[in-house]
Amino acid sequence: MTAAKSFRERLTARDPLLGVWMKTPSPIVADVFGRTPLDCVCLDAEHAPFDRMAIDGCVASLRASGMAALVRPQSATPEHLQSALDCGAIGIVAPHIRSGAEAESLSRACRFGPGGRGFAGSTRAAGYGGLTIASALADAAQSTCVIAQIEDVEAVDAIDEIARVEGVDCLFVGRIDLTVGLGATSPDEKIVVDAVAAICAAGKKHGRATGMFVSNLSEIEAWRKAGASLFILKSDHAFIVEGATALRATFDAATDAVSGAI
């Protein structure tokens, strides 16, 4: 029997992958997500209140269920990257990568080697001492996903040099920040759509996967044709609001119907 492909193998092969943002720093929420048919969950430590302990607990819950755990850290500084990876995250969605030099720094900081990620055998990523140095390094080299978020005007201008950096597995479009940076007021404006298309084209040119968030799910087919393969859509907060709103509408329709008949 052929072994199932790892998340990184699927990502770099540009298989269609579906994930969600997790905004609530709770291992229980992570446990619930781990029981779903999603491909990955991304803990949003950039915009939600995740400290290191919260990331650690949520990653542990996701790993226990076999769900690929990504982290978008507060920043792309080496300490934030290493912290998330030591907790056992399978990959990083690094915010605000603006240049080829920043992409190279990101790739180096996420990987072991000269000037790169520091090694500690006591971490979850290293099996709490259960893995040899050689096996831990080999596992990290094969499984760690490095995803550069492209969300600044400077990044679009430098997209070719970013996309050619070895070790960057995926370009992830930050469309809302791009909208603001480009002076637009809607992510549907042509200047924004053209920038997203340029990112997808650079990904295809250099053999990198491209990912994105879209609020309008009807766009998925078109962006998939343009080369996007990783879609991180919605969030736990969105599911709660949408579910409660739908429940309210269903309840009101049912009770209104009965009230009209009384």
Side-chain angles (χ1 to χ4, degrees):
M1 180 181 295
T2 303
K5 291 197 293 185
S6 69
F7 181 81
R8 183 167 184 255
E9 287 172 328
R10 297 173 68 199
L11 177 68
T12 56
R14 287 172 274 180
D15 294 346
L17 297 169
L18 173 62
V20 295
W21 300 103
M22 184 169 151
K23 306 280 189 174
T24 308
S26 165
I28 297 172
V29 175
D31 190 22
V32 173
F33 271 139
R35 298 163 190 267
T36 68
L38 296 167
D39 296 303
C40 64
V41 173
C42 186
L43 310 182
D44 188 8
E46 184 190 18
H47 292 298
F50 284 86
D51 59 18
R52 182 163 183 166
M53 281 299 292
I55 291 172
D56 187 75
C58 292
V59 169
S61 285
L62 292 169
R63 283 172 62 105
S65 61
M67 178 65 71
L70 305 176
V71 175
R72 179 162 68 178
Q74 293 172 328
S75 72
T77 56
E79 59 268 27
H80 286 144
L81 301 173
Q82 178 167 307
S83 175
L85 293 172
D86 279 354
C87 288
I90 203 72
I92 294 291
V93 180
H96 297 289
I97 301 302
R98 303 177 178 89
S99 67
E102 289 186 355
E104 289 172 1
S105 177
L106 167 66
S107 176
R108 184 169 56 252
C110 288
R111 304 190 189 283
F112 295 111
R117 177 182 168 192
F119 180 81
S122 60
T123 63
R124 179 181 293 114
Y128 298 114
L131 299 177
T132 65
I133 293 177
S135 60
L137 295 182
D139 179 67
Q142 293 171 2
S143 63
T144 301
C145 304
V146 179
I147 302 171
Q149 187 153 315
I150 310 301
E151 52 190 332
D152 301 276
V153 175
E154 308 97 292
V156 178
D157 292 340
I159 193 60
D160 235 34
E161 64 181 68
I162 294 171
R164 70 165 61 100
V165 172
E166 289 298 324
V168 171
D169 299 307
C170 179
L171 309 172
F172 194 88
V173 180
R175 189 164 166 182
I176 301 304
D177 275 354
L178 272 179
T179 299
V180 174
L182 289 166
T185 56
S186 166
D188 297 326
E189 289 185 37
K190 185 177 185 301
I191 190 173
V192 181
V193 174
D194 287 349
V196 177
I199 297 166
C200 290
K204 290 178 71 173
K205 176 182 176 181
H206 294 282
R208 310 296 178 211
T210 303
M212 63 179 65
F213 164 85
V214 293
S215 56
N216 182 353
L217 302 188
S218 68
E219 294 183 11
I220 292 173
E221 182 179 356
W223 288 119
R224 179 72 180 120
K225 290 177 180 177
S229 55
L230 171 63
F231 293 88
I232 304 180
L233 310 172
K234 296 187 178 291
S235 69
D236 47 342
H237 291 182
F239 291 135
I240 292 169
V241 171
E242 290 172 3
T245 301
L247 179 62
R248 177 85 257 178
T250 300
F251 178 81
D252 287 349
T255 54
D256 287 348
V258 172
S259 297
I262 294 175

